[in-house]
Amino acid sequence: MQRRPASIALLAFFLVTVGLFCLFAPNFATTSNFENLMSGFSFVAILAMGQSFPILLRGIDLSIGAMVALAGMVAFDLTMLFHVPGYLILPLVLIAATGAGAINGILIVYLRLQPFIATLATLAAYRGVVYAISGRLLIPKLATTPITDPWIVGIETYFDIGGALGISDYVHLPWFPLSFFLMIAIFITFQLLLLSTKLGRDIYTVGGNQEAARLAGINTRRITIFTYAISGFCAGVAALVLVARLTTSTEALGTGMELTAISAAVIGGVSLQGGIGSMFGPVIGAFLLGVVLIGLTLLGASQYVQQILTGAILLAAVCYDRYLVVQRQRRAAANVGANT
Amino acid sequence: MIARWNLKSSAKLSKLAPYALPLAIVFIVIMFSIAEPAFLKPENLIGIIHQMNLIGIMAVAMTFVIMTGGVDLSVGPVLAISGLTAFFAMDAGLGLPIAIAAALGVGILIGTINGTLVAIFGLPPIIVTLAMLSIVRGLALIWGGPEWHLIRDQDAFTFIGTGHIGGISFSIILLLVFAGAVMFVQKRTPIGLIVAGIGENERAAYLSGHRVRLTKIAIYGLSGMGAALAGIVQSSQVHTSAAVYGEFGTELDVIAAIVLGGTSLMGGNGSIGRTLIGVIFLGVINNGMNILNVTLDIQLITKGVIIVLAMALSELT
Amino acid sequence: MNEAHLIDAQGLGKTYGSLAVLIDANFTVSAGEIRALVGSNGAGKSTLIKILTGAIAPTTGTVKVDGKELVLGSPTEMINSGIACIYQHSNLAPAMTVLDNIFLGRQPTKRFGLLDRKRQRREAEELLQRHAIQIDLDALVSTLPTVKQKEVEILKALALNARILLMDEPTGWLAASDVAKLHATIRTLKSSGVAIVYISHMLDEIFAVCDTVTVMRDGRIISEGKVADITRPSLVKLMVGEKLAKDSAQAGKFKRMARGTGKVRLSANGLTKRGVFSDISFDLFAGEIFCITGLIGSKRTEFLHTLFGSDRFDSGELKVDGKVISFKSPTQAISNGMGFVTEDRHREGLMLGLSISNNLVMATLRKFHKFGLLKRKEIYSATGEMITDLNIQPPDPIKPVRLLSGGNQQKVLLGKWLNLKPKFLLLDEPTVGVDVGAKAEIYAILRAERDKGAAILVVSSDLEEVMTISDRIAVMVSGRLVAIHDADKTTLAEIIGEIGGAAR
Amino acid sequence: MTEEIKNTTNDRRHFLKNIALGSAAIGGAAMGLFGNSDPSTGLFGVQKANAADDARLKMAFIKYATDTVSSAWSKGIEDVLTPQQIVDYKLLDGQGKAEVQVSLMDTLISDGNSVIFLQPVDSVALAPSIQKAKRAGISVITLNIDATEAHAAHVEMNHYFGAMDIAKAMGDAMGGKGDVAILNAPPGIIIRDLRTNGFVDGMKKHHPEIKIVADQVAEWSRKKAQDVLATILAANPKLGGVYGVNDAMALGAVDVAKDKGLIGKLVIFGNDGETGALESIAAGELTGTQFTDVHQQGRFAASAAVVLASGMVPATAFKKQGHLLMPYVIATKDTVGQITPAQRW
C-alpha cells in the first residue's frame, strides 16, 4: 500500500547516482567511504524525517538548527558542568528538545501564528538560549575539554556486522555506525507510526484535508503540536549523534541545517501541499545529498559546483512532484469524463 | 485614494491592530531612551535608518511577493552576485551606468527565473527560491572566488553608499526614493491593486481578466532587483564586493520585517509603508540592544520573543 | 411517525448579523424512516444540515437524539450520537487509501494505538458486501473517478454505524445506474433501522425512495407529510410557494423579451468538451435574459467557463457578433465586453479582504488609468455611483467585502462587471445565499441591463428565479441542452419534468 | 590555552626541532619574515623521495569558511606544492560548520590523502577526526586553531601576544587614557577568545587607565561593524579607540570614522594585516593592525607537509605536535612601508 511512483523513481535515481559515482569517482566504492556516508548523513536523515512531520501538516520548522544547538548544549552542560551521568543525560536532552519543538507547536496553535513566523522567531530565540546557557563560554577551559561520558560518546560506535556474522572472509562489509542504526530505528518507528497507528492516519488526514479531519472528530490542535514536538525530538537525537561524533558541542552547531533538512524532505517527495509523503523519501533524500557531496568531492569538483548541483536536484525534485500532480489531475479529469 | 481607503478600513476593522506596531515602537523607544538617553540623539535615530538600509530596500522590493502568498529566500546570494557584477564591470573599465545596469540586470534576471518557475510551472516559491539560494551562491563563488574584491578609485560608485546630499546620507535618500517609487506604484497605479487581488484570490484575479502569471514574474523580478540594489549599496558602503556577502539569515530578516509590517505570508493586502514600519521596528530593537551593550544571547532571545509577541498581538486583535 | 423520534430538533434558528437563514425549525425523524428534505436554494436546508452535523451552532433551539440533548456545534458530539453526513463537496483525504478514508479519524486500534489493520479490512469488506458496493480498498482516493469517491463518502458515513444519515444531494454526481444502486443501499439501511434525511432537487428520486417529506422555504419549515399523500404538482407548489405565483404574476408585468432586439450577439454551434458537455447549440440575442437551468453537476458552470476563455472547448464553433472566435483567456473575453458573475463568490469572485471600492473596479482597471496612473477621482465617483445604484449596504466604499452580508457581497460582484458596461453578461447562480430583498434588487438590475441591450446568460438551479427573470429557458441535463423554451410559452411543471424526470 | 602559548615561545627553532627532520628544507622556506627568498627553492624534492613508487600524492586543505585569510594560506601552500609536480592539492570549504569539516575529513581519509591542512572550526570537535587520520597514517597540519588531539604540526598567528601588542600600541596612541570598544566575532571560536583576552590583558598590563566600554558582535563583517560602531559612538561620543578583531571589522570602523570626521581622533586597530588594511594604514586612516605574512604561514605549513610526505618522518612519531607561532609586526604608518608587495595578501 501507499506505493507511489515517486518513491520508486527516487530510489532508482539514488541507485543510479551511487552507481555512477562507483564507476567514475576514485575511492567511492570503498567500505570506508560507505562508513563515512552512513556516519556523516544518518543525522541529516533523522532531521529530515523530523522535518517531514510539520511539512505533512502544510507547516514548516525553521528552528531545527537552533534546536540541535540547544539540545547539544544541554548535553554539554549536563555532563561538563553538572557531571550528570550519561544514562540520565540522554533522556533529559531528548525531553528538552521535544519540549522546544512542542513550544513551536503551541505558538502555532494557540497564538495562531503562521509556522514560518513562529519557527523563525524561535530560530533566533533558541540560538540566544544556547549562547546564554553555554558552559563553554562560562568556563573557557571546557571549550578545549572533550566529553568522555561513555553513554554519550558511545553513540559514536561502529559495529562490524560482517565480522559478527562471520562472513567478512567472503564479503567486505563496512562497519556500521550506531547512528545509522538509530536512524533505522527512528525510520521504522515513524513509518510504523504513520502507517500503522491511528495517530499516523490522523496526521495524514489533517495534512490532506483539515476540514474533513475536523468533521471526523480529530483533534487537529493536538496533532499539530505533536508533529512539531516530533521535529524537536529528532533535533535532539541528531544533536546527541553530533555531540558523540564531535566529543563536544558548539554554539554554532546546526546552523543552516533547517535548509538541508527541508531540501532532503522535499527531494524525498514530502509535498508542501500536505498529507503526501512517507519516511522513506526523506531518508533517501538525505543520503542522496550525501552521495552527491562526497562523490563530487572525490571527483575533485569544486564545492561551489556542489552547491549549484544541490539546488538543481532540489528544483528537479519539485518539478517531478509537480509533474505527478498534473498527471494525477489529468487522470482524474479523464476518469470523470469516462463516467459522464 | 484606494490605498488610503484600505488603511482606514483596517483601522475600523479593529481599533488596535494597525497601531500595535507603531505603539510598540514608541514603547520600545521610550524604554531604550530611559536606559540610555543617547539613544534619542538625532544621529543615532538617523543611524537606525542607515543600518536598516539594505534590509529596507529588500523588504520594500519583496513586499509584493509576500502579498501574493510567495516568498523569496534567494535575496542574500543575489545581493552578493550583483555586487560582484558591479565590481567586474567597473574592473573591465565599463562606466558606472553600465556597471549598475548590469548589476541590477543580474538581479532582475534571477528574480524573473524564480517568478517563471513559480508562475508558469506552479512550483512552490519557498522551494524554488531555496534552490536558487544554493545555485546563485555557488555561481557567485565560482565567479568571484573567495576573495574580497577591493573597489578602488570609483568615486561615483562609492558615493552611492557613503555620499551625502544636503547632510543626508545618499543611501538613505536612495532607500526613500526607492520605497517612494514602489509605494507610488502600489498606490497610484493599478499594479498595487492587482497584486493585492492576486494575493487575496488568485483565481478571482484571473477571472477578472488580469495577467496573473505575468504579474507574478514581474514582482519576483522586482524582488531580485531590490536585492541587486541592496548589493550595489553594500558594495559601495564597504568598498569591496565578495561572493559571501548577504550571508544566511539576511532573507529571514527581510521576511520578518515585512511580516511584522502586517503583510500575511498567506498573501493578501499589504503596504509598502507598513513594511517600512516593520523595518524600523527591527532596526530599533537591534540598535537599542547594541547601544545598551547587551550580549548576543539576550539580543537573540529578545528578538525572538518580540517577533512572537508582535505577531500574536496582530493576530488576536 | 408515531414511534419515538430518533432525532428531535426543536426551535432551531440561525441568524448571521441581520440575516435570518433559519427560523424556528422543528424537525423530527424516526428510525427506519427516509425523509426527503426539499426546498429551493436558500430555503435553509444547508443551515439545518450544518447544525445537525455540528459544523455550526444554532442561534436558538435544541437537538435531542434518543431523548438525550446534545451539545451543539461540535462535530465529535454529533458523530458520537450517530449522526453522519454525506456532503455535496468531498470530505476525503485524497492522498490516502479508500480503506483509510472509510475509517477516517476512527480507525480501529489495538493496544498502544496500533491500527488493527485486519479488523479494519474485515469491517470494510463486510460493509462492502452488505451494501453490494465494489471498490478497491487499497486504491488511493485521488486516483479514483468522482463517482467512486462519492461511494467512498457513503461508505465512510455507513462505517460510522450511523443511525441518522444525512445525504446532501447524494446523486448530484452519479450516473443513472449508480443512482439505482444507491437507492437500493438506502433501502437496506432503512430496513436496519437507520433514519435517513435525503436532500435532493430530484423529485423523481424523492418519489422513488422517500417515505416522508419536509418542505422548507425562506428559512422556515412550511410543510411535512407522507410522500404517498402528495402529488408531484402539489409538492412543487409547496416548494416554490404562493410567492412564485405572485412573482410570476408580477413577472408577467415585466415584458418578456424573448430574442430581445433580435440581434444575435453570441452564437454557439455544437460546442463540445470531451467528457464534460457535448453538442451545445443556441443563439444569445442582445436584450434578452437567457436562462440555463438544470441540476448541480449538469456541467453548466464548466460550460460558462469555456465561453469566458477560462477553459477551452474541444470542438464546435463560437461566434461573437458574427465573428468566429474562441477566447484564450478571460482578458480577451473581457476586452470583448463579456462579464462573468461566477458561482462561488468566495472562491472565484471576490477579494474578501479588499474594500468594496477595490472590488468594484477589479475587472475594469484598464478603464480607470491613464498612462499607467490610476484616475482616482473617477474611481471614487464611479464606485460611489455604483454603490448608490446597487444599494450596497453599508454604502461605505472602504469597507472590506468580507464584512458584508451575502446579498451585498453578491451585489458588489455584480457591480464589478456592470462597471464594464458589458455587452455580454454571464451569471452563474447569481442569487445563492442571498436574502429575498437583495434577490429582487438583483433581478431589477438584470432587467435594467437587458433593457440597455446587454445579452444576459444566467445559469440557475433556482426554478423560482428562472421563472421570474428569464426571457428564454434552456434545460441542461448531464452536459446536454435538452430543450429551449420561450419563457412565456412554458410552465414550471414542464421544466421540472425535463430536469428531473425526462432525463432519467 | 594562554599558558600553553606562553610556554611555546614564538621561536621558529622550536618548530624546527619538532619537525625533527628536514631542517634544511624548512630553513629555506622559513628564511625569516622579511627575507626575500623564494620559499619554494632549496627544498627536498618529494619527487626524489618518492621517485620509486611513482604514485601521486594527495594533499588537501579544509578551510574554516570562505574568507581572505584562508585564501592567502591556500596560495602560500600552493607556492610550495605546485613545484612538487607529483602533488595533487585541493581546497575544501568547511562552511564554518564542525560537522561539515568532520565529514570532509572522513572523505579525505578514505580518499588516501597523505597530508591534510586544517583550520578546525573547533579544537575539540575535530580531534576525533584527527585521531582517525593518524590511524590511517595521514599527517594533519592545523592552521591558526589548534586541536586537542596531538597531530603533526600547528602553525598559528600569534593571536594572544599580537593582541597584547595591539593594546599597547593603541594605548600609546591614545596617550594612556580614554575609552575603547571591541568589534567582536560571535562567541564560540577560539581565535575570538585569544584575541579578546590578549587585548584585555594587554590593556590591563600596559594601560590600566583605559576602559573597555563596549564589546559587541559584528560577525566578522565590515557592514555590520559600521552599523555597530555607529551605534556605540552614539552612546560613547568620547570613544578614543576601536579594536576590530579582524581587518574587515576594523575597516568598517574606519568607514564610520571617515563619515563622522573622526579620522586622526579615533585610534583604530585591526588584526591579520590584509592588503586593504595596509593600504588604509598607509593612507593614514586605519591606525594599525597586526600583520602576519599569511602566505608565508601557508608556505611553512606546506613545507612541513612536504617533509612529512617524504616519508622520512612518520606521522605517528609525533607525540606532541610541532608548534609554530608566526612572527608578526604591528603595522602602523611608520612600519607599514617595510612590508614588501610580495608579502602582502
Side-chain angles (χ1 to χ4, degrees):
Chain A
M1 76 158 285
Q2 302 279 334
R3 215 169 288 115
R4 280 192 205 83
S7 345
I8 293 167
L10 180 68
L11 187 62
F13 183 72
F14 176 73
L15 292 177
V16 167
T17 312
V18 172
L20 285 176
F21 280 124
C22 283
L23 286 176
F24 296 109
N27 293 322
F28 187 85
T30 58
T31 50
S32 66
N33 187 47
F34 283 101
E35 275 169 27
N36 297 342
L37 188 64
M38 282 187 287
S39 60
F41 287 87
S42 289
F43 75 89
V44 179
I46 293 172
L47 286 171
M49 285 191 276
Q51 180 70 258
S52 301
F53 278 84
I55 297 182
L56 275 176
L57 253 66
R58 302 181 201 209
I60 200 153
D61 188 351
L62 296 178
S63 71
I64 57 168
M67 290 195 290
V68 165
L70 184 62
M73 200 47 79
V74 168
F76 183 92
D77 286 354
L78 286 177
T79 179
M80 304 296 269
L81 288 180
F82 303 106
H83 309 290
V84 177
Y87 54 84
L88 283 178
I89 292 176
L90 301 186
L92 285 174
V93 167
L94 294 179
I95 289 169
T98 312
I103 289 174
N104 284 333
I106 287 167
L107 293 178
I108 290 161
V109 166
Y110 289 103
L111 295 184
R112 282 183 281 164
L113 298 183
Q114 289 155 7
F116 194 98
I117 289 300
T119 56
L120 174 64
T122 53
L123 161 95
Y126 291 158
R127 186 70 67 184
V129 173
V130 171
Y131 282 115
I133 66 168
S134 170
R136 295 161 56 101
L137 297 180
L138 214 58
I139 305 170
K141 193 165 71 75
L142 294 183
T144 52
T145 318
I147 292 172
T148 50
D149 188 290
W151 286 82
I152 297 179
V153 179
I155 297 173
E156 179 77 356
T157 309
Y158 289 77
F159 297 98
D160 182 7
I161 302 287
L165 296 176
I167 54 168
S168 48
D169 292 342
Y170 314 105
V171 234
H172 203 54
L173 278 182
W175 288 30
F176 289 81
L178 180 58
S179 60
F180 184 74
F181 291 110
L182 272 179
M183 188 274 292
I184 295 288
I186 289 179
F187 168 72
I188 293 172
T189 313
F190 285 175
Q191 193 74 346
L192 208 67
L193 174 92
L194 282 179
L195 297 183
S196 309
T197 69
K198 176 164 162 16
L199 185 62
R201 299 286 85 189
D202 288 355
I203 290 173
Y204 277 117
T205 310
V206 176
N209 188 337
Q210 184 148 13
E211 181 60 14
R214 207 176 62 81
L215 289 172
I218 294 169
N219 187 335
T220 53
R221 294 182 152 199
R222 212 160 52 200
I223 302 269
T224 306
I225 296 174
F226 176 78
T227 54
Y228 285 89
I230 288 269
S231 175
F233 172 82
C234 287
V237 177
L240 287 173
V241 170
L242 278 169
V243 169
R245 197 162 152 77
L246 305 176
T247 65
T248 187
S249 182
T250 69
E251 291 81 6
L253 197 69
T255 312
M257 256 177 211
E258 50 280 350
L259 299 187
T260 315
I262 293 169
S263 302
V266 170
I267 290 171
V270 182
S271 166
L272 292 174
Q273 302 301 311
I276 298 177
S278 71
M279 287 298 112
F280 179 72
V283 171
I284 298 294
F287 282 104
L288 179 65
L289 285 178
V291 165
V292 170
L293 292 184
I294 289 183
L296 287 175
T297 304
L298 289 173
L299 276 174
S302 148
Q303 278 184 303
Y304 309 147
V305 175
Q306 297 175 18
Q307 289 195 353
I308 296 175
L309 254 159
T310 311
I313 291 177
L314 188 54
L315 268 186
V318 279
C319 280
Y320 184 68
D321 187 53
R322 179 73 199 157
Y323 166 78
L324 289 181
V325 170
V326 171
Q327 286 283 304
R328 209 159 38 227
Q329 281 168 353
R330 287 233 180 94
R331 250 198 322 269
N335 279 334
V336 170
N339 280 279
T340 331
Chain B
M1 190 64 77
I2 287 187
R4 203 164 71 224
W5 292 343
N6 287 337
L7 236 145
K8 247 201 286 173
S9 72
S10 43
K12 278 189 182 166
L13 185 67
S14 89
K15 293 195 172 62
L16 235 168
Y19 301 122
L21 199 62
L23 283 176
I25 292 177
V26 169
F27 176 74
I28 292 170
V29 164
I30 291 172
M31 298 295 284
F32 280 139
S33 12
I34 291 171
E36 173 58 72
F39 179 82
L40 276 183
K41 281 189 191 170
E43 74 247 40
N44 191 53
L45 296 180
I46 292 172
I48 292 174
I49 301 172
H50 197 262
Q51 288 155 21
M52 294 310 285
N53 224 327
L54 303 178
I55 301 288
I57 290 173
M58 289 187 276
V60 163
M62 206 200 285
T63 302
F64 283 169
V65 170
I66 304 269
M67 277 169 72
T68 61
V71 74
D72 185 357
L73 297 179
S74 68
V75 288
V78 172
L79 179 152
I81 207 166
S82 101
L84 283 176
T85 311
F87 167 79
F88 282 117
M90 289 186 292
D91 206 39
L94 300 172
L96 183 71
I98 297 176
I100 288 177
L104 292 179
V106 166
I108 293 170
L109 175 70
I110 295 166
T112 309
I113 295 172
N114 282 333
T116 307
L117 290 168
V118 169
I120 307 285
F121 295 97
L123 304 181
I126 187 169
I127 298 301
V128 166
T129 54
L130 176 60
M132 205 53 91
L133 167 94
S134 191
I135 293 172
V136 176
R137 179 70 77 204
L139 287 173
L141 282 164
I142 287 177
W143 190 29
E147 296 86 14
W148 272 250
H149 302 281
L150 278 160
I151 295 169
R152 296 167 217 265
D153 308 325
Q154 293 286 350
D155 291 341
F157 185 77
T158 306
F159 182 82
I160 295 172
T162 60
H164 295 263
I165 291 178
I168 302 171
S169 162
F170 182 70
S171 59
I172 292 181
I173 295 174
L174 196 65
L175 166 67
L176 295 179
V177 168
F178 181 66
V182 180
M183 210 184 287
F184 182 83
V185 167
Q186 191 194 18
K187 290 189 171 180
R188 301 291 176 95
T189 73
I191 296 168
L193 207 47
I194 295 171
V195 169
I198 292 173
E200 276 286 335
N201 192 336
E202 189 169 331
R203 176 81 180 150
Y206 170 70
L207 290 174
S208 299
H210 298 305
R211 292 184 176 84
V212 172
R213 290 174 166 185
L214 198 68
T215 311
K216 276 181 142 183
I217 293 172
I219 59 177
Y220 278 89
L222 176 68
S223 178
M225 188 187 112
L229 184 60
I232 292 169
V233 173
Q234 164 151 2
S235 281
S236 167
Q237 280 180 347
V238 301
H239 311 285
T240 48
S241 81
V244 294
Y245 285 164
E247 54 283 278
F248 172 67
T250 311
E251 62 283 347
L252 297 182
D253 276 349
V254 173
I255 295 166
I258 297 171
V259 172
L260 281 170
T263 308
S264 163
L265 281 173
M266 311 302 282
N269 221 341
S271 126
I272 304 296
R274 293 184 61 79
T275 292
L276 284 178
I277 296 179
V279 169
I280 290 170
F281 182 72
L282 277 187
V284 166
I285 296 174
N286 285 342
N287 179 282
M289 288 194 292
N290 277 330
I291 211 168
L292 292 180
N293 202 21
V294 174
T295 49
L296 184 64
D297 48 350
I298 307 295
Q299 288 197 15
L300 288 170
I301 295 172
T302 313
K303 201 165 149 187
V305 169
I306 284 181
I307 291 177
V308 165
L309 286 181
M311 293 312 298
L313 199 67
S314 63
E315 280 293 319
L316 294 177
T317 47
Chain C
M1 292 287 275
N2 298 332
E3 315 132 53
H5 297 308
L6 191 50
I7 186 163
D8 183 359
Q10 293 297 327
L12 291 180
K14 179 74 187 174
T15 51
Y16 291 104
S18 59
L19 179 66
V21 291
L22 188 64
I23 304 152
D24 194 29
N26 301 325
F27 186 69
T28 56
V29 187
S30 307
E33 179 183 350
I34 304 177
R35 167 73 58 89
L37 182 59
V38 297
S40 49
N41 285 331
K45 291 173 298 177
S46 333
T47 310
L48 181 59
I49 297 304
K50 278 185 193 157
I51 291 170
L52 293 180
T53 54
I56 57 173
T59 319
T60 60
T62 58
V63 177
K64 287 181 191 162
V65 169
D66 272 347
K68 202 179 106 233
E69 189 165 334
L70 307 180
V71 182
L72 299 176
S74 149
T76 323
E77 170 94 358
M78 294 309 187
I79 291 167
N80 292 342
S81 321
I83 302 178
C85 183
I86 300 163
Y87 296 90
Q88 276 169 276
H89 297 292
S90 166
N91 262 305
L92 301 173
M96 295 168 78
T97 61
V98 171
L99 187 59
D100 281 324
N101 267 292
I102 292 176
F103 293 91
L104 209 62
R106 40 168 299 281
Q107 292 89 348
T109 51
K110 298 185 285 196
R111 272 173 309 164
F112 314 123
L114 279 179
L115 291 179
D116 194 338
R117 286 247 162 234
K118 277 187 193 150
R119 204 177 108 203
Q120 188 178 352
R121 188 168 290 271
R122 200 175 58 233
E123 285 182 9
E125 276 163 0
E126 277 171 18
L127 207 60
L128 291 182
Q129 222 158 26
R130 186 153 15 111
H131 303 297
I133 295 173
Q134 283 183 344
I135 197 162
D136 177 8
L137 287 176
D138 294 325
L140 291 182
V141 163
S142 59
T143 63
L144 291 178
T146 321
V147 280
K148 282 282 176 192
Q149 293 192 8
K150 204 76 201 176
E151 279 183 20
V152 177
E153 294 235 34
I154 293 165
L155 282 168
K156 180 178 144 198
L158 294 173
L160 284 160
N161 291 322
R163 291 177 303 153
I164 302 142
L165 196 56
L166 314 176
M167 294 182 158
D168 195 359
E169 297 276 7
T171 56
W173 297 94
L174 299 189
S177 57
D178 294 324
V179 172
K181 203 190 288 173
L182 183 74
H183 286 169
T185 307
I186 290 173
R187 286 190 201 96
T188 325
L189 289 173
K190 169 191 160 80
S191 61
S192 58
V194 175
I196 291 156
V197 179
Y198 193 98
I199 302 129
S200 179
H201 284 107
M202 300 286 290
L203 300 186
D204 270 9
E205 290 183 17
I206 288 162
F207 284 100
V209 77
C210 297
D211 304 321
T212 52
V213 60
T214 296
V215 184
M216 294 189 76
R217 201 171 68 217
D218 300 335
R220 292 174 198 274
I221 289 176
I222 55 155
S223 172
E224 272 182 334
K226 287 193 176 169
V227 170
D229 297 344
I230 201 164
T231 61
R232 189 187 282 239
S234 57
L235 182 58
V236 170
K237 204 168 165 191
L238 280 171
M239 278 168 71
V240 294
E242 299 303 320
K243 211 169 135 284
L244 176 67
K246 213 172 70 203
D247 282 1
S248 296
Q250 232 173 10
K253 280 188 271 172
F254 297 103
K255 230 179 0 173
R256 300 271 191 193
M257 301 282 292
R259 278 168 289 278
T261 59
K263 185 181 162 220
V264 178
R265 264 282 152 81
L266 180 146
S267 166
N269 196 356
L271 292 186
T272 300
K273 185 175 175 66
R274 263 194 305 284
V276 183
F277 54 79
S278 59
D279 198 22
I280 293 186
S281 307
F282 66 92
D283 288 332
L284 181 62
F285 294 85
E288 74 164 343
I289 298 177
F290 184 86
C291 277
I292 301 180
T293 187
L295 293 166
I296 291 165
S298 57
K299 310 296 179 195
R300 297 160 305 167
T301 301
E302 289 81 350
F303 174 64
L304 287 189
H305 276 286
T306 59
L307 287 186
F308 193 58
S310 42
D311 205 344
R312 307 284 157 76
F313 47 78
D314 297 324
S315 61
E317 191 182 68
L318 180 65
K319 275 193 203 158
V320 172
D321 285 332
K323 270 184 300 186
V324 176
I325 198 166
S326 118
F327 298 128
K328 291 190 179 59
S329 70
T331 319
Q332 212 183 343
I334 291 167
S335 58
N336 276 283
M338 188 180 278
F340 183 15
V341 177
T342 44
E343 174 184 18
D344 189 332
R345 60 176 170 267
H346 289 185
R347 276 182 47 227
E348 298 198 315
L350 295 169
M351 282 84 179
L352 292 176
L354 299 190
S355 65
I356 294 177
S357 160
N358 286 350
N359 270 285
L360 282 175
V361 297
M362 193 48 89
T364 42
L365 282 173
R366 64 174 59 72
K367 292 172 68 175
F368 290 109
H369 69 85
K370 195 176 183 180
F371 311 124
L373 297 186
L374 285 177
K375 296 192 277 191
R376 295 182 300 156
K377 269 191 191 143
E378 286 182 29
I379 292 180
Y380 187 73
S381 62
T383 55
E385 268 172 43
M386 191 58 78
I387 288 169
T388 320
D389 286 356
L390 300 185
N391 186 27
I392 293 169
Q393 292 298 332
D396 175 2
I398 59 164
K399 193 124 188 144
V401 167
R402 172 163 32 102
L403 302 179
L404 303 184
S405 71
N408 282 301
Q409 288 185 353
Q410 193 67 22
K411 283 193 267 180
V412 172
L413 181 55
L414 192 56
K416 165 171 132 179
W417 293 108
L418 295 185
N419 261 331
L420 186 68
K421 311 241 180 308
K423 285 198 278 180
F424 312 91
L425 191 56
L426 317 181
L427 300 103
D428 194 358
E429 304 286 2
T431 59
V432 171
V434 167
D435 62 283
V436 181
K439 259 188 196 178
E441 288 178 281
I442 290 172
Y443 296 157
I445 296 162
L446 290 183
R447 288 200 188 95
E449 283 301 310
R450 173 194 69 181
D451 295 342
K452 281 187 223 161
I456 298 178
L457 178 57
V458 178
V459 156
S460 177
S461 314
D462 184 346
L463 291 173
E464 182 179 337
E465 173 169 299
V466 171
M467 296 312 288
T468 309
I469 59 164
S470 57
D471 298 321
R472 285 195 298 151
I473 302 170
V475 178
M476 192 159 174
V477 176
S478 301
R480 285 171 184 280
L481 278 193
V482 295
I484 301 180
H485 306 280
D486 282 6
D488 47 8
K489 289 178 192 145
T490 185
T491 62
L492 190 57
E494 189 182 7
I495 302 284
I496 290 175
E498 280 168 358
I499 294 171
R504 297 270 150 94
Chain D
M1 204 63 207
T2 323
E3 213 166 318
E4 195 183 331
I5 287 168
K6 279 176 188 158
N7 292 341
T8 331
T9 61
N10 53 346
D11 176 4
R12 68 175 184 272
R13 264 168 303 175
H14 191 76
F15 173 59
L16 296 179
K17 194 176 80 198
N18 278 293
I19 295 295
L21 240 179
S23 54
I26 298 297
M31 273 282 274
L33 187 60
F34 297 110
N36 283 322
S37 76
D38 179 355
S40 56
T41 54
L43 287 180
F44 263 103
V46 238
Q47 283 143 293
K48 222 180 234 172
N50 288 283
D53 42 15
D54 197 31
R56 295 189 69 81
L57 290 175
K58 291 180 189 169
M59 296 191 191
F61 172 28
I62 303 177
K63 58 184 175 181
Y64 180 98
T66 300
D67 61 64
T68 39
V69 177
S70 310
S71 305
W73 277 331
S74 186
K75 194 164 165 297
I77 292 170
E78 281 175 73
D79 281 349
V80 176
L81 295 186
T82 315
Q84 315 290 328
Q85 287 168 6
I86 60 160
V87 177
D88 287 335
Y89 167 76
K90 63 183 160 198
L91 175 63
L92 298 169
D93 185 355
Q95 298 166 23
K97 299 171 190 167
E99 71 274 7
V100 171
Q101 287 196 325
V102 168
S103 183
L104 288 173
M105 283 291 285
D106 280 347
T107 307
L108 291 177
I109 292 166
S110 63
D111 195 28
N113 281 258
S114 52
V115 178
I116 298 173
F117 305 97
L118 173 68
Q119 184 188 14
V121 168
D122 185 86
S123 302
V124 180
L126 270 293
S129 297
I130 292 173
Q131 202 169 32
K132 195 171 165 188
K134 283 201 303 191
R135 277 203 303 267
I138 298 169
S139 312
V140 177
I141 299 173
T142 50
L143 287 158
N144 252 16
I145 300 176
D146 203 354
T148 52
E149 174 72 26
H151 51 281
H154 175 65
V155 189
E156 181 179 314
M157 287 181 187
N158 203 333
H159 304 296
Y160 182 81
F161 288 105
M164 273 185 107
D165 283 350
I166 286 171
K168 182 167 181 297
M170 183 184 286
D172 292 345
M174 287 168 62
K177 54 181 186 293
D179 294 343
V180 299
I182 303 177
L183 298 175
N184 223 329
I189 170 165
I190 240 163
I191 296 174
R192 165 200 155 107
D193 300 344
L194 289 175
R195 289 183 181 175
T196 314
N197 292 342
F199 184 76
V200 173
D201 293 351
M203 277 297 176
K204 260 187 222 150
K205 189 174 156 196
H206 301 292
H207 301 285
E209 280 175 43
I210 289 180
K211 231 172 72 195
I212 296 166
V213 290
D215 180 353
Q216 285 284 298
V217 172
E219 295 173 30
W220 304 111
S221 143
R222 184 161 173 174
K223 169 73 182 139
K224 289 244 167 65
Q226 291 177 356
D227 298 343
V228 170
L229 183 63
T231 311
I232 293 175
L233 275 174
N236 307 282
K238 283 192 227 131
L239 198 71
V242 179
Y243 172 42
V245 165
N246 74 347
D247 283 336
M249 290 191 280
L251 288 172
V254 168
D255 295 335
V256 175
K258 257 196 209 166
D259 193 47
K260 296 196 186 296
L262 292 173
I263 293 290
K265 290 180 204 147
L266 197 57
V267 178
I268 304 169
F269 272 86
N271 210 321
D272 293 342
E274 61 184 67
T275 310
L278 299 184
E279 283 175 7
S280 180
I281 292 170
E285 297 162 355
L286 183 65
T287 317
T289 188
Q290 172 190 0
F291 172 80
T292 308
D293 186 343
V294 179
H295 286 149
Q296 189 73 341
Q297 191 178 357
R299 289 184 206 118
F300 283 157
S303 306
V306 170
V307 173
L308 289 163
S310 69
M312 292 176 200
V313 185
T316 44
F318 294 94
K319 296 242 161 37
K320 182 157 177 51
Q321 69 265 31
H323 219 116
L324 173 66
L325 280 178
M326 289 297 293
Y328 60 88
V329 276
I330 300 299
T332 57
K333 198 157 191 201
D334 302 333
T335 56
V336 72
Q338 299 170 10
I339 303 170
T340 63
Q343 290 166 331
R344 300 195 177 202
W345 47 278

